[in-house]
């Protein structure tokens, strides 16, 4: 009982520590977000995420993905932002309920904002109106009206971009601009009336300033910006402060005051660089480039080169065109004709390069074909060498282990044929038993030879399959049951019942058959044979251990080279002579290993490797 109590206390204490860790990280995340340190926001949120996932807190898990998406959006990492918003939406669908529906609306608004930044204005507007539809009637509900203010401001931004894309004679142009101002004013009015956050009011003023500026109401536009930047500095909202300073630069440029525009952009550039606002950083460089393009060509080029250097794929092609355009206008204007010649030469070089690539590709194809041909011929030569070697070894085996017993059988049969009437019946029986034993040994030798020759001549793929190791060993032992009983041997299979190999089962069984047969043959009566296995990670190492006659080191070395003669077993059995050699050859061809440890008079341990099943 006391043990259970202590376990419960330990679990509760662990959960309390995790909760404290999550709360501590949450405080850091909010602080970093308030201070516009979005890189740190992402870092701390990723640390908090696994804590909430382990606790099964889906709301906070969704909140983490939403926070990461919002920070990525501020940093201009739009693909990553959309990915995290989509994950958050999937979790909301899993949670369900009214609160989840509200959160999905917020996420839809954020995704619409990303599409806005990507200049997908029609899709962006469609999602904003969908948010208003999901919001329903607001009445005097504070939260609902503040949400409506956000959607009005967003639609105002869409209208402003659509207005900028319209031709001067487009009949919808004036109405679109009027809607831009109207939605922006309604958004600001709602935020002020219902006590919105100061950051939101700053954002509304920026949007309204842009609308006034587009309509030519410059004093009103500047007044809104002045009010917004004071508020941004009061609440230390560096993100909006950077955006406002950039707008000052844009307004100065529109008025033709390029020096002031450059200074504003440089001020915003330092702020964006310090806070890792990548998108702002690029926009500041672009603004500084445009502001100095006519008056200070050298500085203009440096801004342009810097912007091209830090871009990844976003706008990269466009900026490269701007670099070429600048070089034509400011550095090589007096050499226009020379530039055209250089461009033509460049085009010729490109064509020559393309032709060279084709030639190189063709040469590579030819070289690869030649290499493949050489490899194929080398393989054929290796096959011929292996065939010749196999032929020579086969002749040696046949001469060494087949011819001798055949001649012996022939002499016995000749003797029996010539003196059949003179030989006592009991001797005839002995001769027949001897012939039967010799024939059995001959069969084993032929099976070994056939298996060995097949393994040496065939380059087929390994036929791997899953099989139970213990069952395979039991099968091998059962095949030797008569000989085992004859010597009253004790055979123990200690291989675990659940071990599964993934190898060529026929090869494994054939090699084990030979090894176990030798163990039986060279074990003393009433001896013991033990089969064990070890797991080395990738293989099972199967061991066949006997305590029989053993093999001397000198004879073992010759045996592995097929240089030894047959050895008589403990019961007078005739040895095959080539069994271990064949097993070694087959195992090596199969990618496995076979190891033999033996001491004369003490016994033998033979180990083979079998690939593990997953």
């Amino acid at each position: 009982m006391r043990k259970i109590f202590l376990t419960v206390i330990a679990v509760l204490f662990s959960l309390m520590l995790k909760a404290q860790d999550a709360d501590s990280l949450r405080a850091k995340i909010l602080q970093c977000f308030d201070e516009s340190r979005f890189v740190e926001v992402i870092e701390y949120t990723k640390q908090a995420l696994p804590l909430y996932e382990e606790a099964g807190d889906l709301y906070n898990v969704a909140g983490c993905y939403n926070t990461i998406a919002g920070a990525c959006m501020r940093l201009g990492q739009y693909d990553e932002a959309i990915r995290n918003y989509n994950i958050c939406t999937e979790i909301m669908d899993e949670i369900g309920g009214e609160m989840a529906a509200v959160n999905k609306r917020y996420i839809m608004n954020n995704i619409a904002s990303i599409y806005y930044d990507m200049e997908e204005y029609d899709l962006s507007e469609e999602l904003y109106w969908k948010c208003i539809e999901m919001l329903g009637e607001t009445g005097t509900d504070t939260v609902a009206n503040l949400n409506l203010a956000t959607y009005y401001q967003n639609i105002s931004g869409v209208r402003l971009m659509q207005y900028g894309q319209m031709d001067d004679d487009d009949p919808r142009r004036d109405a679109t601009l009027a809607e831009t101002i109207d939605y922006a004013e309604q958004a600001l009015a709602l935020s002020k009336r219902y006590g919105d956050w100061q950051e939101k009011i700053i954002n509304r003023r920026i949007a309204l300033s842009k609308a006034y500026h587009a309509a030519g109401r410059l004093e009103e536009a500047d007044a809104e910006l002045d009010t917004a930047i004071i508020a941004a500095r009061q609440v230390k909202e560096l993100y909006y402060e950077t955006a406002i300073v950039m707008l000052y630069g844009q307004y100065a440029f529109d008025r033709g005051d390029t020096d002031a525009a450059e200074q504003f952009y440089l001020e915003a550039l330092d702020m964006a660089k310090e806070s890792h606002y990548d998108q702002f950083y690029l926009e500041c460089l672009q603004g500084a480039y445009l502001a100095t393009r006519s008056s200070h060509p050298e500085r203009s080029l440096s801004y342009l080169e810097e912007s091209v250097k830090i871009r990844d794929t976003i706008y990269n092609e466009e900026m490269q065109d701007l670099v070429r355009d600048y070089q034509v206008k400011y550095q090589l204007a007096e050499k226009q004709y020379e530039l055209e010649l250089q461009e033509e030469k460049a085009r010729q070089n490109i064509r020559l390069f393309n032709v060279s690539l084709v030639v190189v590709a063709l040469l590579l194809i030819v070289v690869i074909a030649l290499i493949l041909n050489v490899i194929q011929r080398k393989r054929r030569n290796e096959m011929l060498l292996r065939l010749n070697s196999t032929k020579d070894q086969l002749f040696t085996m046949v001469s060494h282990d087949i011819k001798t017993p055949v001649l012996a059988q022939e002499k016995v049969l000749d003797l029996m044929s010539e003196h059949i009437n003179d030989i006592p019946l009991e001797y005839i029986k002995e001769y027949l038993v001897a012939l039967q034993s010799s024939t059995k040994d001959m069969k084993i030798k032929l099976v070994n030879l056939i298996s060995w020759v097949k393994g040496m001549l065939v380059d087929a793929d390994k036929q791997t399959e899953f099989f139970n190791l213990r069952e395979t060993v039991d099968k091998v032992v059962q095949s030797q049951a008569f000989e085992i009983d004859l010597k009253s041997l004790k055979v123990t299979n200690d291989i675990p019942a659940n071990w599964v190999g993934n190898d060529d089962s026929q090869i494994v069984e054939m090699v084990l058959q030979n090894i176990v047969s030798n163990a039986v043959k060279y074990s003393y009566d009433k001896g013991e044979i033990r089969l064990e296995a070890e797991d080395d990670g990738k293989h099972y190492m199967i061991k066949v251990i006997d305590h029989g006659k053993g093999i001397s080191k000198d004879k073992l070395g010759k045996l592995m080279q097929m240089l030894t003669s047959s050895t008589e077993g403990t019961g007078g059995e005739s040895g095959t002579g080539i069994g271990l050699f064949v097993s070694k050859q087959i195992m090596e061809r199969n990618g496995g290993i076979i190891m033999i440890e033996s001491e004369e008079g003490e016994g033998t341990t033979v180990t083979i490797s079998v690939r593990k099943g997953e």
Side-chain angles (χ1 to χ4, degrees):
M1 188 66 181
R2 182 173 178 271
K3 185 176 180 180
I4 296 174
F5 175 75
L6 291 175
T7 302
V8 172
I9 292 298
V11 171
L12 291 176
F13 184 70
S14 175
L15 292 174
M16 288 173 63
L17 285 177
K18 291 177 181 178
Q20 290 174 358
D21 289 342
D23 290 341
S24 175
L25 288 170
R26 180 186 297 174
K28 291 179 181 179
I29 292 166
L30 293 175
Q31 180 182 353
C32 292
F33 220 112
D34 289 340
E35 296 174 1
S36 301
R37 290 151 49 197
F38 298 117
V39 173
E40 294 177 63
V41 167
I42 295 173
E43 179 183 349
Y44 286 130
T45 306
K46 287 183 177 180
Q47 293 178 26
L49 181 58
L51 298 177
Y52 290 125
E53 288 177 335
E54 185 176 352
D57 188 345
L58 290 182
Y59 269 111
N60 276 317
V61 170
C64 286
Y65 284 112
N66 187 67
T67 301
I68 293 172
C72 289
M73 191 171 80
R74 295 290 186 89
L75 293 172
Q77 300 169 3
Y78 297 134
D79 290 342
E80 189 67 12
I82 291 177
R83 187 182 73 83
N84 281 279
Y85 277 135
N86 286 334
I87 295 174
C88 185
T89 299
E90 292 173 0
I91 297 174
M92 287 297 109
D93 287 335
E94 182 179 351
I95 294 173
E98 183 178 352
M99 183 59 69
V102 171
N103 289 331
K104 286 179 63 177
R105 174 162 51 82
Y106 291 157
I107 294 170
M108 183 179 296
N109 174 74
N110 292 335
I111 295 176
S113 298
I114 293 175
Y115 284 127
Y116 171 87
D117 290 340
M118 296 171 65
E119 300 183 6
E120 298 285 348
Y121 302 123
D122 291 341
L123 180 56
S124 177
E125 181 182 0
E126 179 183 343
L127 292 179
Y128 287 139
W129 283 113
K130 180 66 175 177
C131 288
I132 293 176
E133 179 183 341
M134 294 171 66
L135 182 62
E137 295 293 333
T138 59
T140 58
D141 183 84
T142 298
V143 175
N145 279 286
L146 292 179
N147 288 334
L148 183 61
T150 297
Y151 304 141
Y152 278 158
Q153 178 189 330
N154 294 339
I155 292 173
S156 172
V158 172
R159 286 284 187 269
L160 181 61
M161 300 309 298
Q162 292 170 339
Y163 168 79
Q165 293 177 342
M166 292 178 178
D167 297 330
D168 293 341
D169 57 352
D170 193 318
R172 300 172 299 163
R173 199 163 187 266
D174 291 340
T176 299
L177 182 58
E179 288 181 354
T180 300
I181 297 173
D182 180 53
Y183 285 124
E185 289 176 339
Q186 289 189 64
L188 179 58
L190 285 170
S191 283
K192 292 165 65 177
R193 182 187 311 160
Y194 288 97
D196 210 342
W197 290 352
Q198 191 63 36
E199 291 84 352
K200 293 289 186 69
I201 295 176
I202 293 169
N203 195 14
R204 309 282 188 259
R205 291 189 183 280
I206 293 173
L208 183 56
S209 175
K210 291 179 181 179
Y212 284 151
H213 185 77
R217 296 160 61 174
L218 303 184
E219 292 183 1
E220 295 173 273
D222 289 341
E224 291 295 340
L225 276 192
D226 293 341
T227 304
I229 198 168
I230 292 171
R233 288 169 178 167
Q234 287 176 344
V235 297
K236 297 181 180 181
E237 182 52 65
L238 187 59
Y239 180 83
Y240 287 122
E241 184 180 351
T242 306
I244 294 168
V245 175
M246 288 173 58
L247 272 181
Y248 279 134
Q250 178 187 330
Y251 291 174
F253 180 78
D254 291 344
R255 292 194 301 268
D257 190 350
T258 56
D259 289 339
E262 182 186 11
Q263 292 306 312
F264 281 125
Y265 282 124
L266 289 179
E267 181 183 352
L269 187 69
D270 290 338
M271 299 163 66
K273 185 175 183 180
E274 179 182 356
S275 300
H276 302 284
Y277 302 150
D278 297 341
Q279 190 64 28
F280 281 172
Y281 190 78
L282 292 174
E283 290 176 9
C284 288
L285 287 172
Q286 176 70 7
Y289 157 72
L290 294 174
T292 57
R293 185 170 54 176
S294 299
S295 56
H296 303 287
E298 292 183 0
R299 291 210 302 269
S300 178
L301 181 60
S302 68
Y303 296 140
L304 187 58
E305 289 176 342
E306 176 67 13
S307 67
V308 172
K309 183 174 66 175
I310 65 171
R311 287 177 184 269
D312 43 17
T313 56
I314 303 174
Y315 306 126
N316 191 53
E317 184 176 352
E318 176 185 351
M319 294 306 297
Q320 291 289 351
D321 291 339
L322 289 173
V323 171
R324 288 193 294 270
D325 177 68
Y326 178 84
Q327 291 171 338
V328 171
K329 290 182 179 179
Y330 296 100
Q331 291 184 335
L332 303 174
E334 72 281 5
K335 298 180 181 180
Q336 182 67 37
Y337 179 69
E338 181 181 351
L339 178 61
E340 291 177 356
L341 291 178
Q342 291 176 353
E343 289 178 349
E344 178 59 28
K345 184 178 180 179
R347 286 193 291 270
Q348 291 176 356
N349 288 337
I350 291 174
R351 287 195 292 270
L352 180 61
F353 178 72
N354 290 336
V355 172
S356 300
L357 282 179
V358 173
V359 173
V360 170
L362 291 174
L363 287 175
L364 283 174
I365 292 173
V366 172
V367 169
I368 291 172
L370 290 174
I371 292 174
L372 291 175
N373 186 42
V374 170
I375 292 173
Q376 187 175 9
R377 283 192 295 175
K378 183 179 178 181
R379 288 177 177 174
R380 284 200 297 268
N381 290 336
E382 290 175 351
M383 173 62 79
L384 289 174
L385 289 174
R386 190 159 67 248
L387 287 172
N388 286 331
S389 175
T390 303
K391 177 196 68 178
D392 294 340
Q393 292 179 354
L394 180 62
F395 287 160
T396 300
M397 291 179 185
V398 171
S399 175
H400 182 273
D401 281 293
I402 303 296
K403 183 175 69 175
T404 299
V406 167
L407 292 175
Q409 290 177 7
E410 181 181 15
K411 288 182 179 180
V412 171
L413 291 173
D414 287 343
L415 177 64
M416 291 178 64
S417 176
E418 293 175 3
H419 304 284
I420 187 66
N421 295 322
D422 301 329
I423 300 174
L425 180 60
E426 59 270 18
Y427 288 161
I428 293 177
K429 290 182 179 179
E430 290 179 3
Y431 288 149
L432 289 176
V433 170
L435 287 173
Q436 184 181 28
S437 177
S438 177
T439 303
K440 183 177 180 181
D441 287 342
M442 282 283 294
K443 182 183 74 171
I444 294 174
K445 292 174 185 177
L446 288 173
V447 169
N448 284 334
L449 283 174
I450 292 170
S451 300
W452 178 79
V453 172
K454 180 180 178 182
M456 294 299 290
L457 298 183
V458 178
D459 280 331
D461 293 336
K462 298 180 179 64
Q463 301 298 318
T464 61
E465 61 181 335
F466 292 100
F467 61 95
N468 185 282
L469 283 177
R470 184 179 180 89
E471 292 177 359
T472 299
V473 171
D474 285 340
K475 180 179 178 182
V476 170
V477 172
Q478 184 61 34
S479 69
Q480 302 289 327
F482 178 79
E483 289 82 359
I484 291 171
D485 291 341
L486 192 63
K487 287 190 170 185
S488 301
L489 298 176
K490 178 183 178 182
V491 180
T492 305
N493 182 1
D494 290 333
I495 298 175
N498 61 341
W499 280 15
V500 175
N502 184 18
D503 212 321
D504 190 322
S505 62
Q506 292 184 354
I507 286 178
V508 172
E509 184 176 339
M510 181 180 68
V511 171
L512 284 174
Q513 183 82 31
N514 197 294
I515 296 171
V516 173
S517 174
N518 285 343
V520 172
K521 187 176 300 179
Y522 297 111
S523 288
Y524 297 107
D525 288 354
K526 298 183 180 180
E528 181 182 2
I529 299 173
R530 191 168 67 257
L531 292 101
E532 300 177 351
E534 296 178 358
D535 184 347
D536 73 353
K538 293 184 178 180
H539 299 84
Y540 292 125
M541 307 302 292
I542 300 179
K543 295 184 177 183
V544 180
I545 305 168
D546 69 65
H547 303 282
K549 290 180 65 173
I551 310 170
S552 67
K553 292 184 179 179
D554 180 64
K555 195 168 187 178
L556 181 60
K558 292 180 179 180
L559 185 64
M560 290 294 96
Q561 300 179 46
M562 202 185 66
L563 298 176
T564 186
S565 60
S566 301
T567 302
E568 187 176 273
T570 56
E573 305 97 330
S574 176
T576 63
I578 62 170
L580 285 178
F581 173 77
V582 171
S583 297
K584 179 175 181 293
Q585 295 280 305
I586 292 175
M587 285 299 296
E588 290 176 353
R589 292 283 290 170
N590 191 48
I593 61 172
I594 181 170
M595 298 180 293
I596 305 175
E597 301 175 66
S598 185
E599 186 172 347
E600 193 169 9
E602 296 294 331
T604 303
T605 298
V606 182
T607 305
I608 67 171
S609 65
V610 178
R611 282 183 289 273
K612 290 177 60 175
E614 295 296 333

